Amino acid sequence: MEIIKNILLVIYVIVTFVLIVLTLIQTKDESGASSTITGSSTNNFYNQNKGRTKEGRMKKWTIILGVAFAVLAVALSIFYI
């Protein structure tokens, strides 16, 4: 049981570090509430294919690592009770 705890803890630390680095290197791509009020359209070729760009991949990996972070946090809390 200790081996599983240690493996999960190492994976948790790695996921946490990579998640921090990914969020720090991302650029802010949304205008926020101002684009909603002014009604700026985002229906162009770039925004429709944003998932294929480097920024799109980084955003996808940030979401995946965020979910992994939450799952590992719950798993570690269960193991350490």
Coordinates of all heavy atoms in Angstrom, one line a residue:
M1 N 0.8 -1.2 0.0 CA 0.0 0.0 0.0 C 0.9 1.3 0.0 O 0.5 2.3 -0.6 CB -0.9 0.0 1.2 CG -2.1 0.8 1.1 SD -3.1 0.4 -0.3 CE -4.7 0.5 0.4
E2 N 2.0 1.2 0.6 CA 2.9 2.3 0.7 C 3.5 2.6 -0.7 O 3.7 3.8 -1.0 CB 4.1 2.1 1.7 CG 3.6 2.1 3.1 CD 3.2 3.5 3.5 OE1 3.8 4.5 3.1 OE2 2.2 3.6 4.2
I3 N 3.7 1.6 -1.5 CA 4.2 1.8 -2.8 C 3.2 2.6 -3.7 O 3.6 3.5 -4.4 CB 4.6 0.4 -3.5 CG1 5.7 -0.2 -2.7 CG2 5.0 0.6 -4.9 CD1 6.0 -1.6 -3.1
I4 N 2.0 2.2 -3.6 CA 0.9 2.9 -4.4 C 0.8 4.4 -3.9 O 0.7 5.3 -4.8 CB -0.4 2.2 -4.2 CG1 -0.4 0.8 -4.8 CG2 -1.5 3.0 -4.8 CD1 -1.6 0.0 -4.6
K5 N 0.9 4.6 -2.6 CA 0.9 6.0 -2.1 C 2.1 6.8 -2.7 O 1.9 7.9 -3.2 CB 1.0 6.0 -0.6 CG -0.3 5.7 0.1 CD 0.0 5.8 1.6 CE -1.2 5.3 2.4 NZ -1.0 5.4 3.8
N6 N 3.2 6.2 -2.7 CA 4.4 6.9 -3.2 C 4.4 7.2 -4.7 O 4.7 8.2 -5.2 CB 5.7 6.2 -2.8 CG 6.0 6.2 -1.3 OD1 5.5 7.1 -0.6 ND2 6.7 5.2 -0.8
I7 N 3.9 6.2 -5.4 CA 3.7 6.3 -6.9 C 2.7 7.4 -7.2 O 3.0 8.3 -8.0 CB 3.4 5.0 -7.6 CG1 4.5 4.0 -7.5 CG2 2.9 5.2 -9.0 CD1 4.2 2.6 -7.9
L8 N 1.6 7.4 -6.5 CA 0.6 8.5 -6.7 C 1.1 9.8 -6.4 O 0.8 10.8 -7.0 CB -0.7 8.2 -5.9 CG -1.6 7.1 -6.5 CD1 -2.8 6.9 -5.6 CD2 -2.1 7.5 -7.9
L9 N 1.9 9.9 -5.3 CA 2.4 11.2 -4.9 C 3.4 11.7 -5.9 O 3.4 12.9 -6.2 CB 3.1 11.0 -3.5 CG 3.4 12.3 -2.8 CD1 2.2 13.2 -2.5 CD2 4.1 12.0 -1.4
V10 N 4.2 10.9 -6.4 CA 5.2 11.3 -7.4 C 4.5 11.8 -8.7 O 4.8 12.8 -9.3 CB 6.2 10.2 -7.8 CG1 7.0 10.5 -9.0 CG2 7.1 9.9 -6.6
I11 N 3.5 11.0 -9.1 CA 2.7 11.4 -10.3 C 2.0 12.8 -10.0 O 1.9 13.6 -10.9 CB 1.7 10.3 -10.7 CG1 2.4 9.1 -11.2 CG2 0.7 10.8 -11.8 CD1 1.6 7.9 -11.4
Y12 N 1.5 12.9 -8.8 CA 0.8 14.2 -8.4 C 1.7 15.4 -8.5 O 1.3 16.4 -9.0 CB 0.2 14.0 -7.0 CG -0.6 15.1 -6.5 CD1 -1.9 15.4 -7.0 CD2 -0.2 16.0 -5.5 CE1 -2.7 16.4 -6.6 CE2 -0.9 17.0 -5.1 CZ -2.2 17.2 -5.6 OH -2.9 18.3 -5.1
V13 N 2.9 15.2 -8.0 CA 3.9 16.3 -8.1 C 4.2 16.7 -9.5 O 4.3 17.8 -9.9 CB 5.1 15.9 -7.2 CG1 6.2 16.9 -7.5 CG2 4.8 15.9 -5.8
I14 N 4.4 15.6 -10.3 CA 4.8 15.9 -11.7 C 3.6 16.6 -12.5 O 3.8 17.6 -13.2 CB 5.1 14.6 -12.5 CG1 6.5 14.0 -11.9 CG2 5.2 14.7 -14.0 CD1 6.8 12.6 -12.4
V15 N 2.4 16.1 -12.3 CA 1.2 16.7 -12.9 C 1.1 18.2 -12.4 O 0.8 19.1 -13.2 CB -0.1 15.9 -12.6 CG1 -1.3 16.7 -12.9 CG2 0.0 14.6 -13.4
T16 N 1.3 18.4 -11.1 CA 1.2 19.8 -10.6 C 2.2 20.7 -11.2 O 1.8 21.8 -11.6 CB 1.4 19.7 -9.0 OG1 0.4 18.8 -8.5 CG2 1.2 21.1 -8.4
F17 N 3.4 20.3 -11.3 CA 4.5 21.1 -11.9 C 4.2 21.4 -13.4 O 4.3 22.6 -13.8 CB 5.8 20.4 -11.8 CG 6.9 21.2 -12.4 CD1 7.4 22.3 -11.8 CD2 7.5 20.8 -13.6 CE1 8.4 23.1 -12.3 CE2 8.5 21.5 -14.1 CZ 9.0 22.7 -13.5
V18 N 3.8 20.4 -14.1 CA 3.5 20.6 -15.6 C 2.3 21.5 -15.7 O 2.2 22.4 -16.6 CB 3.3 19.2 -16.3 CG1 2.8 19.4 -17.7 CG2 4.6 18.4 -16.2
L19 N 1.3 21.3 -14.9 CA 0.1 22.2 -14.9 C 0.4 23.6 -14.7 O -0.1 24.5 -15.3 CB -1.0 21.7 -14.0 CG -2.3 22.3 -14.0 CD1 -3.0 22.1 -15.4 CD2 -3.2 21.7 -12.9
I20 N 1.3 23.9 -13.7 CA 1.7 25.2 -13.4 C 2.4 25.9 -14.5 O 2.2 27.0 -14.9 CB 2.5 25.3 -12.1 CG1 1.7 25.0 -10.9 CG2 3.2 26.6 -11.9 CD1 2.4 24.8 -9.6
V21 N 3.4 25.1 -15.1 CA 4.1 25.6 -16.3 C 3.2 25.9 -17.5 O 3.3 27.0 -18.1 CB 5.3 24.6 -16.6 CG1 5.9 25.0 -17.9 CG2 6.3 24.6 -15.5
L22 N 2.3 25.0 -17.8 CA 1.4 25.2 -18.9 C 0.5 26.4 -18.7 O 0.3 27.2 -19.7 CB 0.5 24.0 -19.1 CG 1.0 22.9 -20.0 CD1 0.0 21.7 -20.0 CD2 1.2 23.4 -21.4
T23 N 0.0 26.6 -17.5 CA -0.8 27.8 -17.3 C 0.0 29.1 -17.3 O -0.6 30.1 -17.7 CB -1.6 27.7 -16.0 OG1 -0.7 27.5 -14.9 CG2 -2.6 26.6 -16.0
L24 N 1.2 29.1 -17.0 CA 2.0 30.3 -17.0 C 2.4 30.7 -18.4 O 2.6 31.9 -18.7 CB 3.2 30.1 -16.1 CG 3.0 30.2 -14.6 CD1 4.3 29.9 -13.8 CD2 2.4 31.5 -14.2
I25 N 2.6 29.7 -19.3 CA 3.1 30.1 -20.6 C 2.0 30.3 -21.6 O 2.2 30.8 -22.7 CB 4.0 29.0 -21.2 CG1 3.3 27.6 -21.4 CG2 5.3 28.8 -20.4 CD1 4.1 26.6 -22.1
Q26 N 0.7 30.1 -21.2 CA -0.4 30.4 -22.1 C -0.7 31.9 -22.1 O -0.5 32.6 -21.2 CB -1.7 29.7 -21.6 CG -1.7 28.2 -21.9 CD -3.0 27.5 -21.5 OE1 -4.0 28.2 -21.3 NE2 -2.9 26.2 -21.4
T27 N -1.2 32.3 -23.3 CA -1.5 33.7 -23.4 C -3.0 33.9 -23.2 O -3.8 32.9 -23.4 CB -1.2 34.2 -24.9 OG1 -1.9 33.4 -25.8 CG2 0.3 34.1 -25.1
K28 N -3.4 35.0 -22.8 CA -4.9 35.3 -22.6 C -5.5 35.5 -23.9 O -5.2 36.4 -24.6 CB -5.0 36.5 -21.7 CG -6.5 36.8 -21.4 CD -6.6 38.0 -20.4 CE -8.1 38.2 -20.2 NZ -8.3 39.4 -19.4
D29 N -6.4 34.6 -24.3 CA -7.0 34.7 -25.6 C -8.4 35.2 -25.7 O -8.9 35.5 -26.7 CB -7.0 33.3 -26.3 CG -7.7 32.3 -25.5 OD1 -8.0 32.5 -24.3 OD2 -7.9 31.2 -26.0
E30 N -9.0 35.4 -24.5 CA -10.4 35.9 -24.5 C -10.5 37.3 -24.1 O -9.7 37.7 -23.2 CB -11.2 35.0 -23.6 CG -11.3 33.6 -24.0 CD -12.2 32.7 -23.1 OE1 -12.9 33.3 -22.2 OE2 -12.1 31.5 -23.2
S31 N -11.4 38.0 -24.6 CA -11.5 39.4 -24.3 C -12.4 39.7 -23.1 O -12.4 40.7 -22.5 CB -12.2 40.2 -25.5 OG -11.5 40.0 -26.7
G32 N -13.1 38.6 -22.6 CA -13.9 38.7 -21.4 C -15.3 39.3 -21.7 O -15.8 39.1 -22.8
A33 N -15.8 40.1 -20.8 CA -17.1 40.6 -20.9 C -17.2 41.7 -22.0 O -18.3 41.9 -22.5 CB -17.6 41.1 -19.6
S34 N -16.2 42.3 -22.3 CA -16.2 43.4 -23.3 C -16.6 42.9 -24.7 O -17.3 43.6 -25.4 CB -14.9 44.2 -23.3 OG -13.9 43.4 -23.8
S35 N -16.1 41.7 -25.0 CA -16.5 41.2 -26.3 C -18.0 40.8 -26.4 O -18.6 40.8 -27.4 CB -15.6 40.0 -26.7 OG -15.8 38.9 -25.8
T36 N -18.5 40.4 -25.2 CA -19.9 40.0 -25.1 C -20.8 41.2 -25.3 O -21.8 41.2 -26.0 CB -20.2 39.3 -23.8 OG1 -19.3 38.2 -23.6 CG2 -21.6 38.8 -23.8
I37 N -20.4 42.3 -24.7 CA -21.2 43.5 -24.7 C -21.1 44.2 -26.1 O -22.1 44.6 -26.7 CB -20.7 44.5 -23.7 CG1 -21.0 44.0 -22.3 CG2 -21.4 45.9 -23.8 CD1 -20.3 44.7 -21.2
T38 N -19.9 44.2 -26.7 CA -19.8 44.8 -28.0 C -20.2 43.9 -29.2 O -20.4 44.4 -30.3 CB -18.3 45.3 -28.3 OG1 -17.5 44.1 -28.2 CG2 -17.9 46.3 -27.2
G39 N -20.3 42.7 -28.9 CA -20.8 41.7 -29.9 C -19.8 41.4 -31.0 O -20.1 41.2 -32.1
S40 N -18.5 41.3 -30.6 CA -17.5 40.9 -31.6 C -17.7 39.5 -32.0 O -17.9 38.6 -31.2 CB -16.1 41.2 -31.0 OG -15.9 40.3 -29.9
S41 N -17.6 39.3 -33.3 CA -17.8 37.9 -33.8 C -16.5 37.1 -33.8 O -15.5 37.6 -34.1 CB -18.4 38.0 -35.2 OG -18.5 36.8 -35.8
T42 N -16.6 35.9 -33.4 CA -15.5 35.0 -33.4 C -15.7 33.8 -34.3 O -15.2 32.8 -34.1 CB -15.2 34.5 -32.0 OG1 -16.4 33.7 -31.5 CG2 -14.9 35.6 -31.0
N43 N -16.5 34.1 -35.4 CA -16.8 33.0 -36.3 C -15.9 33.1 -37.5 O -16.4 33.4 -38.6 CB -18.3 33.1 -36.7 CG -18.8 31.8 -37.4 OD1 -18.0 30.8 -37.4 ND2 -19.9 31.8 -38.0
N44 N -14.7 33.0 -37.4 CA -13.8 33.0 -38.5 C -13.0 31.7 -38.6 O -13.1 30.9 -37.7 CB -12.8 34.3 -38.5 CG -12.0 34.3 -37.2 OD1 -11.8 33.3 -36.6 ND2 -11.5 35.5 -36.9
F45 N -12.2 31.6 -39.6 CA -11.4 30.4 -39.9 C -10.5 30.0 -38.7 O -10.4 28.9 -38.3 CB -10.7 30.5 -41.2 CG -9.9 29.2 -41.5 CD1 -10.6 28.1 -42.0 CD2 -8.5 29.1 -41.3 CE1 -9.9 26.9 -42.3 CE2 -7.8 28.0 -41.6 CZ -8.5 26.9 -42.1
Y46 N -9.8 31.0 -38.2 CA -8.8 30.8 -37.1 C -9.5 30.3 -35.9 O -9.1 29.3 -35.3 CB -8.0 32.0 -36.8 CG -7.1 31.9 -35.6 CD1 -6.0 31.1 -35.7 CD2 -7.4 32.4 -34.4 CE1 -5.1 30.9 -34.6 CE2 -6.6 32.2 -33.3 CZ -5.5 31.5 -33.4 OH -4.7 31.3 -32.3
N47 N -10.6 30.9 -35.5 CA -11.3 30.5 -34.3 C -12.0 29.1 -34.4 O -12.2 28.4 -33.5 CB -12.3 31.5 -33.8 CG -11.6 32.7 -33.2 OD1 -10.5 32.6 -32.6 ND2 -12.2 33.9 -33.4
Q48 N -12.4 28.8 -35.6 CA -13.0 27.5 -35.9 C -12.0 26.3 -35.8 O -12.3 25.2 -35.5 CB -13.7 27.4 -37.2 CG -15.0 28.3 -37.2 CD -15.7 28.3 -38.6 OE1 -15.1 27.8 -39.5 NE2 -16.8 28.9 -38.6
N49 N -10.7 26.6 -36.2 CA -9.7 25.6 -36.2 C -8.6 25.8 -35.1 O -7.5 25.5 -35.2 CB -9.0 25.6 -37.5 CG -9.9 25.1 -38.6 OD1 -10.6 24.1 -38.5 ND2 -10.0 25.9 -39.7
K50 N -9.1 26.5 -34.0 CA -8.1 26.8 -32.9 C -7.6 25.6 -32.2 O -6.5 25.6 -31.7 CB -8.8 27.7 -31.9 CG -7.9 28.4 -31.0 CD -8.6 29.2 -30.0 CE -9.0 30.5 -30.6 NZ -9.6 31.5 -29.6
G51 N -8.3 24.5 -32.2 CA -7.8 23.3 -31.6 C -6.6 22.6 -32.2 O -5.9 21.8 -31.6
R52 N -6.4 23.0 -33.5 CA -5.3 22.4 -34.2 C -4.0 23.2 -34.0 O -2.9 22.8 -34.5 CB -5.6 22.3 -35.7 CG -6.8 21.4 -35.9 CD -7.1 21.3 -37.4 NE -8.2 20.5 -37.6 CZ -8.9 20.3 -38.7 NH1 -8.4 21.0 -39.8 NH2 -9.9 19.6 -38.8
T53 N -4.1 24.4 -33.4 CA -2.9 25.2 -33.2 C -2.1 24.9 -31.9 O -2.6 24.0 -31.1 CB -3.3 26.7 -33.2 OG1 -4.1 26.9 -32.0 CG2 -4.0 27.1 -34.4
K54 N -1.0 25.4 -31.8 CA -0.2 25.2 -30.6 C -1.0 25.6 -29.3 O -1.0 24.9 -28.3 CB 1.1 25.9 -30.7 CG 2.0 25.7 -29.5 CD 3.3 26.6 -29.7 CE 4.2 26.5 -28.4 NZ 5.3 27.3 -28.5
E55 N -1.6 26.8 -29.4 CA -2.4 27.3 -28.3 C -3.6 26.4 -27.9 O -3.9 26.1 -26.8 CB -2.9 28.7 -28.5 CG -1.8 29.7 -28.6 CD -1.2 29.9 -30.0 OE1 -1.8 29.3 -31.0 OE2 -0.2 30.5 -30.1
G56 N -4.2 25.8 -29.0 CA -5.3 24.9 -28.8 C -4.9 23.6 -28.1 O -5.6 23.1 -27.2
R57 N -3.7 23.1 -28.5 CA -3.2 21.9 -27.9 C -2.8 22.2 -26.4 O -3.0 21.3 -25.5 CB -2.0 21.4 -28.6 CG -2.4 20.7 -30.0 CD -1.2 20.0 -30.6 NE -0.1 20.8 -30.8 CZ 0.2 21.4 -31.9 NH1 -0.6 21.3 -32.9 NH2 1.3 22.2 -32.0
M58 N -2.2 23.3 -26.2 CA -1.9 23.6 -24.8 C -3.1 23.8 -23.9 O -3.1 23.3 -22.7 CB -1.0 24.9 -24.7 CG 0.4 24.8 -25.2 SD 1.5 26.1 -24.9 CE 0.6 27.5 -24.6
K59 N -4.1 24.4 -24.4 CA -5.4 24.5 -23.7 C -6.0 23.1 -23.4 O -6.5 22.9 -22.3 CB -6.4 25.4 -24.5 CG -7.6 25.7 -23.7 CD -8.5 26.6 -24.5 CE -9.8 26.9 -23.7 NZ -10.7 27.8 -24.5
K60 N -6.0 22.2 -24.4 CA -6.5 20.9 -24.2 C -5.7 20.1 -23.2 O -6.3 19.5 -22.3 CB -6.5 20.1 -25.6 CG -7.0 18.7 -25.5 CD -7.1 18.0 -26.8 CE -5.7 17.6 -27.2 NZ -5.6 16.8 -28.4
W61 N -4.4 20.2 -23.2 CA -3.6 19.6 -22.2 C -3.7 20.2 -20.8 O -3.6 19.5 -19.8 CB -2.1 19.6 -22.6 CG -1.8 18.4 -23.5 CD1 -1.6 18.5 -24.9 CD2 -1.8 17.0 -23.2 NE1 -1.4 17.2 -25.4 CE2 -1.5 16.3 -24.4 CE3 -1.9 16.3 -22.0 CZ2 -1.4 14.9 -24.4 CZ3 -1.8 14.9 -22.0 CH2 -1.6 14.3 -23.2
T62 N -4.0 21.5 -20.7 CA -4.3 22.1 -19.4 C -5.5 21.5 -18.8 O -5.6 21.2 -17.6 CB -4.4 23.6 -19.6 OG1 -3.2 24.1 -20.2 CG2 -4.6 24.3 -18.3
I63 N -6.6 21.3 -19.7 CA -7.8 20.8 -19.2 C -7.6 19.3 -18.7 O -8.1 18.9 -17.6 CB -8.9 20.9 -20.2 CG1 -9.3 22.3 -20.5 CG2 -10.1 20.1 -19.9 CD1 -10.2 22.6 -21.7
I64 N -6.9 18.5 -19.5 CA -6.6 17.1 -19.2 C -5.8 17.0 -17.9 O -6.2 16.2 -17.0 CB -5.9 16.4 -20.3 CG1 -6.8 16.3 -21.5 CG2 -5.3 15.1 -19.9 CD1 -6.1 15.8 -22.8
L65 N -4.8 17.9 -17.7 CA -4.0 17.8 -16.5 C -4.8 18.4 -15.3 O -4.5 17.9 -14.2 CB -2.7 18.6 -16.7 CG -1.7 17.9 -17.6 CD1 -0.5 18.8 -17.9 CD2 -1.2 16.6 -17.0
G66 N -5.7 19.3 -15.5 CA -6.5 19.8 -14.4 C -7.4 18.7 -13.9 O -7.6 18.5 -12.7
V67 N -8.0 17.9 -14.8 CA -8.8 16.8 -14.4 C -8.0 15.7 -13.7 O -8.4 15.2 -12.6 CB -9.6 16.2 -15.6 CG1 -10.3 14.9 -15.3 CG2 -10.6 17.2 -16.2
A68 N -6.8 15.4 -14.2 CA -5.9 14.5 -13.6 C -5.5 15.0 -12.2 O -5.4 14.2 -11.2 CB -4.7 14.2 -14.4
F69 N -5.3 16.3 -12.1 CA -4.9 16.9 -10.8 C -6.0 16.6 -9.8 O -5.8 16.2 -8.6 CB -4.6 18.3 -11.0 CG -4.4 19.1 -9.7 CD1 -3.1 19.1 -9.1 CD2 -5.4 19.8 -9.1 CE1 -2.9 19.8 -7.9 CE2 -5.1 20.5 -7.9 CZ -3.9 20.5 -7.3
A70 N -7.3 16.9 -10.2 CA -8.4 16.7 -9.3 C -8.6 15.2 -8.9 O -8.8 14.9 -7.7 CB -9.7 17.2 -9.9
V71 N -8.4 14.3 -9.9 CA -8.6 12.9 -9.6 C -7.5 12.4 -8.7 O -7.8 11.6 -7.7 CB -8.6 12.1 -10.9 CG1 -8.5 10.6 -10.7 CG2 -9.9 12.4 -11.7
L72 N -6.3 12.8 -8.9 CA -5.2 12.4 -8.0 C -5.3 13.0 -6.6 O -5.0 12.3 -5.7 CB -3.8 12.8 -8.7 CG -3.4 12.0 -9.8 CD1 -2.2 12.6 -10.5 CD2 -3.0 10.6 -9.4
A73 N -5.8 14.2 -6.5 CA -6.0 14.8 -5.2 C -7.0 14.0 -4.4 O -6.8 13.7 -3.2 CB -6.5 16.2 -5.3
V74 N -8.1 13.6 -5.1 CA -9.1 12.7 -4.4 C -8.5 11.4 -4.0 O -8.7 10.9 -2.9 CB -10.4 12.6 -5.3 CG1 -11.3 11.5 -4.7 CG2 -11.1 13.9 -5.4
A75 N -7.8 10.8 -4.9 CA -7.2 9.4 -4.7 C -6.2 9.5 -3.5 O -6.2 8.6 -2.7 CB -6.5 8.9 -5.9
L76 N -5.4 10.6 -3.5 CA -4.4 10.7 -2.4 C -5.1 11.0 -1.1 O -4.7 10.5 0.0 CB -3.4 11.8 -2.7 CG -2.4 11.4 -3.7 CD1 -1.5 12.7 -4.1 CD2 -1.4 10.4 -3.2
S77 N -6.2 11.7 -1.1 CA -6.9 11.9 0.2 C -7.6 10.6 0.7 O -7.6 10.4 1.9 CB -8.0 13.0 0.0 OG -9.0 12.5 -0.9
I78 N -8.0 9.8 -0.2 CA -8.5 8.5 0.2 C -7.4 7.6 0.8 O -7.6 6.9 1.8 CB -9.2 7.8 -1.0 CG1 -10.5 8.5 -1.3 CG2 -9.6 6.3 -0.7 CD1 -11.2 8.1 -2.6
F79 N -6.3 7.6 0.1 CA -5.2 6.7 0.6 C -4.6 7.2 1.9 O -4.1 6.4 2.7 CB -4.1 6.6 -0.4 CG -4.4 5.6 -1.5 CD1 -4.6 6.0 -2.8 CD2 -4.5 4.2 -1.1 CE1 -4.8 5.0 -3.8 CE2 -4.7 3.3 -2.1 CZ -4.9 3.7 -3.4
Y80 N -4.6 8.5 2.2 CA -4.0 9.0 3.4 C -5.0 9.2 4.6 O -4.6 9.7 5.6 CB -3.3 10.4 3.1 CG -1.9 10.2 2.5 CD1 -1.7 10.3 1.2 CD2 -0.9 9.8 3.3 CE1 -0.5 10.1 0.6 CE2 0.4 9.7 2.8 CZ 0.6 9.8 1.4 OH 1.8 9.6 0.9
I81 N -6.2 8.7 4.4 CA -7.2 8.8 5.5 C -6.9 7.6 6.5 O -6.6 6.6 6.2 CB -8.6 8.8 5.1 CG1 -8.9 10.1 4.4 CG2 -9.6 8.5 6.1 CD1 -10.3 10.3 3.8

